[in-house]
Amino acid sequence: MRIQDDIDFTTLSWVKRELDETLNQARQALQAFAEDPSDTSQMRFCATYLHQVQGTLRMVELHGAAMAIDEMEQLAMGLLENEIEDPEDAYEVLLAGMVQLPDYLERLQSGHKDIPIVLLPLLNAVRAARGESELSEMAVFAPKLDVELPQAASGPERAVPDVKLRTATVKLRKAFEASMLAWLKSEESDEKIVGRMAAICDKLASATSVLAARRLWWIAGGVLHGARTGAIEVDRSLKLLFGKVDQQMKRQALKGEKALDDGAPDTLARQLLYFAANGSEDSSRVKELQDLFELEDTLPDSEELEHARGSMAGHNRALLDTVSSAVKEDLMRVKDGLDFKVRQGDMSNEGYDTLVETLERVADTLGMLALDEPRESVIAERDRLKAFGSGEREVDDEGLMDVASAMLYVEASLDDYIDQLGSREKRARSDEDEVLGGDLPSSEVRRILDALMKESSDNLQEIKRSMIEFIEAPWDHERVKQTPRLLEEIVGGLRMLDLNDAGDLLEGIVRFVDVELIRKREVPSAEELDTLADAVASIEYYLEAVREHRPGRNKILDVARASLDTLGYLGEDGIEKAAAAAEADEAEAPEEEEPTEHATVQMEAVDLSDYADEVEEQEAEASPEVAPEAPSAEEVAEEPEEEEIPEQIADEEEPELPPVEAPEAEVVIAQPPGEQEGAADISDDIDEEIREVFIEEVEEELATLKELYPKWRRDTEDQDTLTTIRRTFHTLKGSGRLVGALTIGEFAWQIENLLNRVLDGTREASPAVINLLDQATDALPELLANVKGEGRPTADIEGIKTVAERLAGGEEVVLKAADEVAAEEPAEVEEETPEPVEEATDTAPTEVPEAEGVDLELDV
């Protein structure tokens, strides 16, 4: 199972409550319409609610459930328009669907496999109420298509001209139709006919650029190859399906390949893959399809199918929780009665009749739920209590405690049953489950996991806050000092549950933080921070998957494993580095000395964390012979937070800042002013209110930048002001990426990265840096205007980003306009000489080059 499959379950958990509420509203509207058919607004509400649910289900890629809701919506519209012959039957079918679908989604939310085939009876019942024909299992087969196709299906290097491709498709379709007609009539041997059809589909795949169309042709070719070799059984439904393939060829021939980018080819591709999933591995092409689209995981085994059907048959969590609550109350009465006797030392034969009746009721309930083992245990303890009451057995503490222990076992078994959503077959424990908690009941493991998840979540949130503070400080290594301890607490919980693989990986993260950030006090690069974040997120997500018993969860750890490998702290490598760092610390540890006056000052500076920068500046200015005194609390309190600006200056316009020269810097020629490519537009899918909020936020940050940037430019040693400026670009980066304004987001990220290097002292605020920051601050208002829809920026946005990246890397580079360079004194500026371009004349015909490596002629 891919990690993406698990992500779908997590995404479902985010929207499940809203889906349940919307379906409940649809049910209420349906009932209101059934009571008063003249109130058509209620049925319109019902159809609208169903449409909302369908959109959400498609968003989380639950195609089978979305298909069922789509059929129900059409039935609701049929009732609204008086097109349904038997409205009463339609009401019952719709109501059944609104009750069953939440149960099905609840099962998925618990981490079970999506098995749309169990929705087929509901689908066909709804279609029958509409007077439509029944669907087969193939219609609800929904493998994921978003995988990278192999090299054989990569298509042409350059798109084939539309006219040429359409002409070739017409010729290929004629040959395909002739072969298909012979196939239907069996006029020639199947192997020869089907082989010709497969070659035509492969040829189309090699010439088509649009992904949906190319994927359809390649899948169709693979299925035909399987049919030719006998790996796929050929029946009438398969032959008729290739009639639909012919229709898609017709669409490409008439309207071009772009016409096939509408979803229809994907539906047809999934239906073809159903035959590949049920085929044998004798054909290499069929095996390739099965492996690429993971078709083996899409077909449920008998146990999974029975479990899914059980979840649709009323064994939902709400019902089971109600039954469980009643059973547990009875068990509690029995335990309380036994506890009372033990505490009172009552070893008489009286008072057991009520306890026996209670256990008989529990046994009957467990029998209805088909919990045979717990029921037998309850019956055995009932008989023991009967014997105590009749005097057949002597009452003792050990016997009473045995009965109480049996009651605890029954409770745990009932919790396990509910976790499995009423499956009558005991779920086979996977290798992962055998490791997870060993012989502990699943309910006990879940309780431990709940506690572990709560503590881990708190620790991880604290770690995230520390990392953010570490970056924004910037690079104050004291902020991450507690991170190893917080991570080790999670490791302890993982070890307790025998989740050793995750524990080993988390220890690798501990070693990286301890060695690189705490011992060596390194400043990590942006790539290292991203990689570290991926590793931590992988562990966090793994814990969620374990808690929800999702299958294939060990694959999630591959992300953490790859991240640690990139950081160089995977397995023995990390252990060796940690050991080497510890030895180096021991070797360099200085002998204890009496604290000097200077050391005292530094300690006070650490205590006065809010004023650490001021103390450091005083130390830098002090002579080696005389140690400065730390400011007193009164002096600190009296010191103004910001430099006051004289009124005569504050009231005037900000004076124009003088240009800076960047001697001995490489010159990069900027694009000439004009509407640059690369928009900062927000996606049309984003809500207009979100766009307005984002614009307001950008305007606020620009106002801050307009106020502070000139101040810092006059005094580039002002670290506090520069920190605030950096935070402005950090905010623009995060907000821009969040709402889809990627140009602003990536632009701000490059400037933020450069400012980080200036703040941490790895590069100076040289004239080249100041020149670039001038250009960046001037370009931001143009990017904001772009978001507002007022035109593209005229500044060279890509040029600014490139130069910022090179400056952050330590180079000295300036971005200048071509006319500015020409007007300067002669300077050595290296420019790449553009290759000569032949001018096209009005009379010379322009030929479109043919796609490389594509021969559209096919000998059929």
Side-chain angles (χ1 to χ4, degrees), residues 161-187:
D162 185 63
V163 174
K164 186 169 185 178
L165 179 60
R166 288 167 59 187
T167 301
T169 304
V170 170
K171 295 168 60 177
L172 292 170
R173 181 181 174 235
K174 288 181 179 178
F176 187 85
E177 282 185 318
S179 297
M180 187 174 64
L181 182 62
W183 191 30
L184 291 172
K185 296 181 178 180
S186 299
E187 293 181 353

PDB file of all heavy atoms in Angstrom, residues 161-187:
ATOM      1  N   PRO A 161       2.034  17.772 -34.232  1.00  0.00           N
ATOM      2  CA  PRO A 161       1.051  18.776 -34.656  1.00  0.00           C
ATOM      3  C   PRO A 161      -0.353  18.178 -34.711  1.00  0.00           C
ATOM      4  O   PRO A 161      -0.550  17.032 -35.129  1.00  0.00           O
ATOM      5  CB  PRO A 161       1.548  19.195 -36.043  1.00  0.00           C
ATOM      6  CG  PRO A 161       3.023  18.933 -35.997  1.00  0.00           C
ATOM      7  CD  PRO A 161       3.193  17.718 -35.142  1.00  0.00           C
ATOM      8  N   ASP A 162      -1.328  18.958 -34.263  1.00  0.00           N
ATOM      9  CA  ASP A 162      -2.685  18.463 -34.100  1.00  0.00           C
ATOM     10  C   ASP A 162      -3.238  17.875 -35.392  1.00  0.00           C
ATOM     11  O   ASP A 162      -3.838  16.794 -35.391  1.00  0.00           O
ATOM     12  CB  ASP A 162      -3.584  19.600 -33.602  1.00  0.00           C
ATOM     13  CG  ASP A 162      -4.984  19.108 -33.293  1.00  0.00           C
ATOM     14  OD1 ASP A 162      -5.142  18.274 -32.396  1.00  0.00           O
ATOM     15  OD2 ASP A 162      -5.919  19.566 -33.977  1.00  0.00           O
ATOM     16  N   VAL A 163      -3.052  18.588 -36.496  1.00  0.00           N
ATOM     17  CA  VAL A 163      -3.615  18.121 -37.765  1.00  0.00           C
ATOM     18  C   VAL A 163      -3.013  16.776 -38.162  1.00  0.00           C
ATOM     19  O   VAL A 163      -3.712  15.858 -38.603  1.00  0.00           O
ATOM     20  CB  VAL A 163      -3.379  19.170 -38.874  1.00  0.00           C
ATOM     21  CG1 VAL A 163      -3.826  18.627 -40.231  1.00  0.00           C
ATOM     22  CG2 VAL A 163      -4.120  20.453 -38.552  1.00  0.00           C
ATOM     23  N   LYS A 164      -1.702  16.664 -38.000  1.00  0.00           N
ATOM     24  CA  LYS A 164      -1.033  15.432 -38.381  1.00  0.00           C
ATOM     25  C   LYS A 164      -1.478  14.266 -37.509  1.00  0.00           C
ATOM     26  O   LYS A 164      -1.703  13.143 -37.993  1.00  0.00           O
ATOM     27  CB  LYS A 164       0.478  15.622 -38.284  1.00  0.00           C
ATOM     28  CG  LYS A 164       1.270  14.427 -38.810  1.00  0.00           C
ATOM     29  CD  LYS A 164       2.742  14.764 -38.931  1.00  0.00           C
ATOM     30  CE  LYS A 164       3.498  13.602 -39.565  1.00  0.00           C
ATOM     31  NZ  LYS A 164       4.928  13.902 -39.737  1.00  0.00           N
ATOM     32  N   LEU A 165      -1.609  14.516 -36.184  1.00  0.00           N
ATOM     33  CA  LEU A 165      -2.033  13.454 -35.284  1.00  0.00           C
ATOM     34  C   LEU A 165      -3.458  13.011 -35.592  1.00  0.00           C
ATOM     35  O   LEU A 165      -3.770  11.813 -35.599  1.00  0.00           O
ATOM     36  CB  LEU A 165      -1.933  13.916 -33.822  1.00  0.00           C
ATOM     37  CG  LEU A 165      -2.371  12.895 -32.766  1.00  0.00           C
ATOM     38  CD1 LEU A 165      -1.524  11.629 -32.861  1.00  0.00           C
ATOM     39  CD2 LEU A 165      -2.275  13.487 -31.368  1.00  0.00           C
ATOM     40  N   ARG A 166      -4.339  13.963 -35.877  1.00  0.00           N
ATOM     41  CA  ARG A 166      -5.732  13.613 -36.187  1.00  0.00           C
ATOM     42  C   ARG A 166      -5.808  12.803 -37.472  1.00  0.00           C
ATOM     43  O   ARG A 166      -6.573  11.830 -37.572  1.00  0.00           O
ATOM     44  CB  ARG A 166      -6.572  14.879 -36.299  1.00  0.00           C
ATOM     45  CG  ARG A 166      -6.816  15.558 -34.956  1.00  0.00           C
ATOM     46  CD  ARG A 166      -7.377  16.953 -35.114  1.00  0.00           C
ATOM     47  NE  ARG A 166      -8.629  16.943 -35.836  1.00  0.00           N
ATOM     48  CZ  ARG A 166      -9.273  18.041 -36.237  1.00  0.00           C
ATOM     49  NH1 ARG A 166      -8.752  19.234 -35.976  1.00  0.00           N
ATOM     50  NH2 ARG A 166     -10.419  17.960 -36.878  1.00  0.00           N
ATOM     51  N   THR A 167      -4.997  13.179 -38.458  1.00  0.00           N
ATOM     52  CA  THR A 167      -4.987  12.438 -39.726  1.00  0.00           C
ATOM     53  C   THR A 167      -4.517  11.007 -39.514  1.00  0.00           C
ATOM     54  O   THR A 167      -5.100  10.045 -40.038  1.00  0.00           O
ATOM     55  CB  THR A 167      -4.071  13.141 -40.744  1.00  0.00           C
ATOM     56  OG1 THR A 167      -4.544  14.468 -40.960  1.00  0.00           O
ATOM     57  CG2 THR A 167      -4.062  12.396 -42.066  1.00  0.00           C
ATOM     58  N   ALA A 168      -3.436  10.858 -38.708  1.00  0.00           N
ATOM     59  CA  ALA A 168      -2.921   9.521 -38.432  1.00  0.00           C
ATOM     60  C   ALA A 168      -3.927   8.701 -37.638  1.00  0.00           C
ATOM     61  O   ALA A 168      -4.084   7.498 -37.865  1.00  0.00           O
ATOM     62  CB  ALA A 168      -1.601   9.624 -37.674  1.00  0.00           C
ATOM     63  N   THR A 169      -4.649   9.354 -36.697  1.00  0.00           N
ATOM     64  CA  THR A 169      -5.636   8.640 -35.886  1.00  0.00           C
ATOM     65  C   THR A 169      -6.770   8.116 -36.747  1.00  0.00           C
ATOM     66  O   THR A 169      -7.301   7.018 -36.509  1.00  0.00           O
ATOM     67  CB  THR A 169      -6.190   9.566 -34.787  1.00  0.00           C
ATOM     68  OG1 THR A 169      -5.105  10.080 -34.002  1.00  0.00           O
ATOM     69  CG2 THR A 169      -7.136   8.822 -33.870  1.00  0.00           C
ATOM     70  N   VAL A 170      -7.163   8.886 -37.779  1.00  0.00           N
ATOM     71  CA  VAL A 170      -8.222   8.432 -38.692  1.00  0.00           C
ATOM     72  C   VAL A 170      -7.798   7.134 -39.370  1.00  0.00           C
ATOM     73  O   VAL A 170      -8.564   6.158 -39.436  1.00  0.00           O
ATOM     74  CB  VAL A 170      -8.532   9.516 -39.749  1.00  0.00           C
ATOM     75  CG1 VAL A 170      -9.435   8.957 -40.839  1.00  0.00           C
ATOM     76  CG2 VAL A 170      -9.182  10.720 -39.092  1.00  0.00           C
ATOM     77  N   LYS A 171      -6.559   7.083 -39.863  1.00  0.00           N
ATOM     78  CA  LYS A 171      -6.067   5.888 -40.549  1.00  0.00           C
ATOM     79  C   LYS A 171      -5.973   4.701 -39.602  1.00  0.00           C
ATOM     80  O   LYS A 171      -6.393   3.583 -39.922  1.00  0.00           O
ATOM     81  CB  LYS A 171      -4.696   6.183 -41.159  1.00  0.00           C
ATOM     82  CG  LYS A 171      -4.723   7.232 -42.270  1.00  0.00           C
ATOM     83  CD  LYS A 171      -3.332   7.702 -42.632  1.00  0.00           C
ATOM     84  CE  LYS A 171      -2.467   6.558 -43.106  1.00  0.00           C
ATOM     85  NZ  LYS A 171      -1.129   7.032 -43.515  1.00  0.00           N
ATOM     86  N   LEU A 172      -5.453   4.973 -38.376  1.00  0.00           N
ATOM     87  CA  LEU A 172      -5.310   3.884 -37.416  1.00  0.00           C
ATOM     88  C   LEU A 172      -6.673   3.379 -36.947  1.00  0.00           C
ATOM     89  O   LEU A 172      -6.860   2.179 -36.713  1.00  0.00           O
ATOM     90  CB  LEU A 172      -4.487   4.353 -36.211  1.00  0.00           C
ATOM     91  CG  LEU A 172      -3.004   4.647 -36.508  1.00  0.00           C
ATOM     92  CD1 LEU A 172      -2.347   5.329 -35.330  1.00  0.00           C
ATOM     93  CD2 LEU A 172      -2.254   3.354 -36.850  1.00  0.00           C
ATOM     94  N   ARG A 173      -7.639   4.271 -36.815  1.00  0.00           N
ATOM     95  CA  ARG A 173      -8.960   3.856 -36.352  1.00  0.00           C
ATOM     96  C   ARG A 173      -9.637   2.955 -37.391  1.00  0.00           C
ATOM     97  O   ARG A 173     -10.346   2.003 -37.042  1.00  0.00           O
ATOM     98  CB  ARG A 173      -9.827   5.084 -36.077  1.00  0.00           C
ATOM     99  CG  ARG A 173     -11.212   4.672 -35.559  1.00  0.00           C
ATOM    100  CD  ARG A 173     -12.102   5.851 -35.288  1.00  0.00           C
ATOM    101  NE  ARG A 173     -13.427   5.358 -34.932  1.00  0.00           N
ATOM    102  CZ  ARG A 173     -14.554   5.691 -35.530  1.00  0.00           C
ATOM    103  NH1 ARG A 173     -14.531   6.552 -36.540  1.00  0.00           N
ATOM    104  NH2 ARG A 173     -15.712   5.185 -35.145  1.00  0.00           N
ATOM    105  N   LYS A 174      -9.458   3.251 -38.672  1.00  0.00           N
ATOM    106  CA  LYS A 174     -10.062   2.393 -39.707  1.00  0.00           C
ATOM    107  C   LYS A 174      -9.540   0.964 -39.583  1.00  0.00           C
ATOM    108  O   LYS A 174     -10.300  -0.003 -39.662  1.00  0.00           O
ATOM    109  CB  LYS A 174      -9.756   2.956 -41.091  1.00  0.00           C
ATOM    110  CG  LYS A 174     -10.519   4.233 -41.429  1.00  0.00           C
ATOM    111  CD  LYS A 174     -10.180   4.714 -42.831  1.00  0.00           C
ATOM    112  CE  LYS A 174     -10.964   5.967 -43.191  1.00  0.00           C
ATOM    113  NZ  LYS A 174     -10.613   6.481 -44.542  1.00  0.00           N
ATOM    114  N   ALA A 175      -8.211   0.846 -39.375  1.00  0.00           N
ATOM    115  CA  ALA A 175      -7.631  -0.488 -39.215  1.00  0.00           C
ATOM    116  C   ALA A 175      -8.126  -1.140 -37.932  1.00  0.00           C
ATOM    117  O   ALA A 175      -8.383  -2.355 -37.889  1.00  0.00           O
ATOM    118  CB  ALA A 175      -6.100  -0.381 -39.212  1.00  0.00           C
ATOM    119  N   PHE A 176      -8.272  -0.355 -36.858  1.00  0.00           N
ATOM    120  CA  PHE A 176      -8.750  -0.885 -35.583  1.00  0.00           C
ATOM    121  C   PHE A 176     -10.188  -1.390 -35.712  1.00  0.00           C
ATOM    122  O   PHE A 176     -10.537  -2.464 -35.221  1.00  0.00           O
ATOM    123  CB  PHE A 176      -8.658   0.210 -34.512  1.00  0.00           C
ATOM    124  CG  PHE A 176      -8.959  -0.263 -33.117  1.00  0.00           C
ATOM    125  CD1 PHE A 176      -7.983  -0.842 -32.335  1.00  0.00           C
ATOM    126  CD2 PHE A 176     -10.239  -0.143 -32.592  1.00  0.00           C
ATOM    127  CE1 PHE A 176      -8.253  -1.280 -31.045  1.00  0.00           C
ATOM    128  CE2 PHE A 176     -10.531  -0.581 -31.308  1.00  0.00           C
ATOM    129  CZ  PHE A 176      -9.519  -1.152 -30.532  1.00  0.00           C
ATOM    130  N   GLU A 177     -11.043  -0.612 -36.387  1.00  0.00           N
ATOM    131  CA  GLU A 177     -12.448  -1.004 -36.556  1.00  0.00           C
ATOM    132  C   GLU A 177     -12.561  -2.301 -37.356  1.00  0.00           C
ATOM    133  O   GLU A 177     -13.376  -3.176 -37.024  1.00  0.00           O
ATOM    134  CB  GLU A 177     -13.228   0.111 -37.251  1.00  0.00           C
ATOM    135  CG  GLU A 177     -13.606   1.264 -36.353  1.00  0.00           C
ATOM    136  CD  GLU A 177     -14.479   2.265 -37.073  1.00  0.00           C
ATOM    137  OE1 GLU A 177     -14.187   2.569 -38.253  1.00  0.00           O
ATOM    138  OE2 GLU A 177     -15.457   2.741 -36.476  1.00  0.00           O
ATOM    139  N   ALA A 178     -11.761  -2.418 -38.414  1.00  0.00           N
ATOM    140  CA  ALA A 178     -11.823  -3.624 -39.233  1.00  0.00           C
ATOM    141  C   ALA A 178     -11.425  -4.853 -38.420  1.00  0.00           C
ATOM    142  O   ALA A 178     -12.071  -5.918 -38.488  1.00  0.00           O
ATOM    143  CB  ALA A 178     -10.906  -3.477 -40.451  1.00  0.00           C
ATOM    144  N   SER A 179     -10.366  -4.701 -37.597  1.00  0.00           N
ATOM    145  CA  SER A 179      -9.929  -5.824 -36.765  1.00  0.00           C
ATOM    146  C   SER A 179     -10.958  -6.140 -35.691  1.00  0.00           C
ATOM    147  O   SER A 179     -11.232  -7.311 -35.385  1.00  0.00           O
ATOM    148  CB  SER A 179      -8.580  -5.496 -36.120  1.00  0.00           C
ATOM    149  OG  SER A 179      -7.581  -5.312 -37.103  1.00  0.00           O
ATOM    150  N   MET A 180     -11.542  -5.105 -35.101  1.00  0.00           N
ATOM    151  CA  MET A 180     -12.509  -5.321 -34.027  1.00  0.00           C
ATOM    152  C   MET A 180     -13.763  -6.007 -34.563  1.00  0.00           C
ATOM    153  O   MET A 180     -14.346  -6.884 -33.904  1.00  0.00           O
ATOM    154  CB  MET A 180     -12.879  -3.989 -33.365  1.00  0.00           C
ATOM    155  CG  MET A 180     -13.761  -4.154 -32.124  1.00  0.00           C
ATOM    156  SD  MET A 180     -14.045  -2.609 -31.263  1.00  0.00           S
ATOM    157  CE  MET A 180     -14.955  -1.703 -32.527  1.00  0.00           C
ATOM    158  N   LEU A 181     -14.188  -5.632 -35.771  1.00  0.00           N
ATOM    159  CA  LEU A 181     -15.354  -6.274 -36.375  1.00  0.00           C
ATOM    160  C   LEU A 181     -15.079  -7.761 -36.608  1.00  0.00           C
ATOM    161  O   LEU A 181     -15.924  -8.615 -36.337  1.00  0.00           O
ATOM    162  CB  LEU A 181     -15.711  -5.582 -37.694  1.00  0.00           C
ATOM    163  CG  LEU A 181     -16.939  -6.110 -38.421  1.00  0.00           C
ATOM    164  CD1 LEU A 181     -18.178  -5.935 -37.559  1.00  0.00           C
ATOM    165  CD2 LEU A 181     -17.115  -5.412 -39.765  1.00  0.00           C
ATOM    166  N   ALA A 182     -13.872  -8.058 -37.090  1.00  0.00           N
ATOM    167  CA  ALA A 182     -13.499  -9.455 -37.287  1.00  0.00           C
ATOM    168  C   ALA A 182     -13.419 -10.190 -35.952  1.00  0.00           C
ATOM    169  O   ALA A 182     -13.774 -11.369 -35.854  1.00  0.00           O
ATOM    170  CB  ALA A 182     -12.154  -9.533 -38.015  1.00  0.00           C
ATOM    171  N   TRP A 183     -12.964  -9.488 -34.917  1.00  0.00           N
ATOM    172  CA  TRP A 183     -12.870 -10.086 -33.580  1.00  0.00           C
ATOM    173  C   TRP A 183     -14.261 -10.435 -33.055  1.00  0.00           C
ATOM    174  O   TRP A 183     -14.484 -11.505 -32.494  1.00  0.00           O
ATOM    175  CB  TRP A 183     -12.167  -9.096 -32.657  1.00  0.00           C
ATOM    176  CG  TRP A 183     -11.754  -9.659 -31.321  1.00  0.00           C
ATOM    177  CD1 TRP A 183     -11.407 -10.934 -31.050  1.00  0.00           C
ATOM    178  CD2 TRP A 183     -11.632  -8.937 -30.096  1.00  0.00           C
ATOM    179  NE1 TRP A 183     -11.075 -11.067 -29.737  1.00  0.00           N
ATOM    180  CE2 TRP A 183     -11.197  -9.849 -29.123  1.00  0.00           C
ATOM    181  CE3 TRP A 183     -11.830  -7.605 -29.734  1.00  0.00           C
ATOM    182  CZ2 TRP A 183     -10.960  -9.470 -27.794  1.00  0.00           C
ATOM    183  CZ3 TRP A 183     -11.586  -7.227 -28.430  1.00  0.00           C
ATOM    184  CH2 TRP A 183     -11.180  -8.151 -27.465  1.00  0.00           C
ATOM    185  N   LEU A 184     -15.209  -9.523 -33.229  1.00  0.00           N
ATOM    186  CA  LEU A 184     -16.573  -9.768 -32.761  1.00  0.00           C
ATOM    187  C   LEU A 184     -17.214 -10.935 -33.516  1.00  0.00           C
ATOM    188  O   LEU A 184     -17.952 -11.737 -32.950  1.00  0.00           O
ATOM    189  CB  LEU A 184     -17.425  -8.508 -32.926  1.00  0.00           C
ATOM    190  CG  LEU A 184     -17.070  -7.322 -32.001  1.00  0.00           C
ATOM    191  CD1 LEU A 184     -17.849  -6.079 -32.403  1.00  0.00           C
ATOM    192  CD2 LEU A 184     -17.354  -7.689 -30.551  1.00  0.00           C
ATOM    193  N   LYS A 185     -16.908 -11.032 -34.800  1.00  0.00           N
ATOM    194  CA  LYS A 185     -17.500 -12.094 -35.617  1.00  0.00           C
ATOM    195  C   LYS A 185     -16.620 -13.335 -35.666  1.00  0.00           C
ATOM    196  O   LYS A 185     -17.020 -14.354 -36.248  1.00  0.00           O
ATOM    197  CB  LYS A 185     -17.739 -11.593 -37.041  1.00  0.00           C
ATOM    198  CG  LYS A 185     -18.767 -10.464 -37.113  1.00  0.00           C
ATOM    199  CD  LYS A 185     -18.976 -10.019 -38.550  1.00  0.00           C
ATOM    200  CE  LYS A 185     -20.030  -8.927 -38.668  1.00  0.00           C
ATOM    201  NZ  LYS A 185     -20.233  -8.495 -40.077  1.00  0.00           N
ATOM    202  N   SER A 186     -15.402 -13.225 -35.097  1.00  0.00           N
ATOM    203  CA  SER A 186     -14.442 -14.343 -35.094  1.00  0.00           C
ATOM    204  C   SER A 186     -14.161 -14.829 -36.501  1.00  0.00           C
ATOM    205  O   SER A 186     -14.134 -16.029 -36.766  1.00  0.00           O
ATOM    206  CB  SER A 186     -14.963 -15.499 -34.216  1.00  0.00           C
ATOM    207  OG  SER A 186     -15.122 -15.085 -32.893  1.00  0.00           O
ATOM    208  N   GLU A 187     -13.934 -13.900 -37.451  1.00  0.00           N
ATOM    209  CA  GLU A 187     -13.654 -14.274 -38.833  1.00  0.00           C
ATOM    210  C   GLU A 187     -12.212 -14.746 -39.004  1.00  0.00           C
ATOM    211  O   GLU A 187     -11.908 -15.486 -39.923  1.00  0.00           O
ATOM    212  CB  GLU A 187     -13.919 -13.091 -39.763  1.00  0.00           C
ATOM    213  CG  GLU A 187     -15.393 -12.714 -39.852  1.00  0.00           C
ATOM    214  CD  GLU A 187     -15.627 -11.563 -40.789  1.00  0.00           C
ATOM    215  OE1 GLU A 187     -14.618 -10.986 -41.250  1.00  0.00           O
ATOM    216  OE2 GLU A 187     -16.788 -11.223 -41.057  1.00  0.00           O
TER     217      GLU A 187
END
